[in-house]
């Protein structure tokens, strides 16, 4: 029988605790919060003149979750060369 790695068990417990803290702060389920936050995407746009790393605008729901968690909305442009 394979013994569980104590580090993996500890990380799993911390992840579950983090989910519960976020649920309490946002007043919603983890599934709803995750689904709304997953809509925020990062795109790399390449051209012969350079590259742009652009973030999609968060939905009103995602912005509300970020605000409740005291996290700033990501900037529209992360990197420009």
């Amino acid at each position: 029988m394979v013994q569980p790695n104590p580090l993996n068990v500890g990380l799993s417990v911390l992840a579950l605790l983090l989910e519960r803290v976020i649920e309490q702060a946002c007043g919603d389920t983890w599934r709803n919060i995750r689904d709304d936050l997953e809509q925020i995407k990062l795109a790399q746009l390449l051209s012969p003149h350079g590259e742009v790393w652009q973030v999609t605008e968060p939905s009103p729901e995602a912005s509300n979750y970020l605000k409740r968690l005291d996290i700033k909305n990501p900037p529209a442009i992360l990197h420009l060369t």
Side-chain angles (χ1 to χ4, degrees):
M1 179 176 216
V2 176
Q3 294 294 324
N5 183 334
L7 181 59
N8 289 342
V9 173
L11 288 175
S12 296
V13 170
L14 286 175
L16 181 60
L17 178 61
L18 182 59
E19 286 180 13
R20 297 298 172 250
V21 168
I22 291 170
E23 285 178 335
Q24 291 295 313
C26 293
D28 205 346
T29 65
W30 173 246
R31 178 174 290 160
N32 291 339
I33 296 164
R34 183 193 63 214
D35 289 346
D36 285 332
L37 292 178
E38 279 183 338
Q39 301 305 312
I40 302 171
K41 304 291 183 190
L42 175 63
Q44 179 187 23
L45 309 170
L46 300 172
S47 80
H49 305 289
E51 68 178 338
V52 176
W53 288 78
Q54 186 174 9
V55 179
T56 60
E57 185 175 340
S59 67
E61 294 83 7
S63 289
N64 189 30
Y65 289 136
L66 292 173
K67 184 177 181 180
R68 288 181 180 188
L69 296 168
D70 199 26
I71 299 172
K72 294 179 184 177
N73 281 346
I77 304 293
L78 287 181
H79 182 72
L80 180 63
T81 58

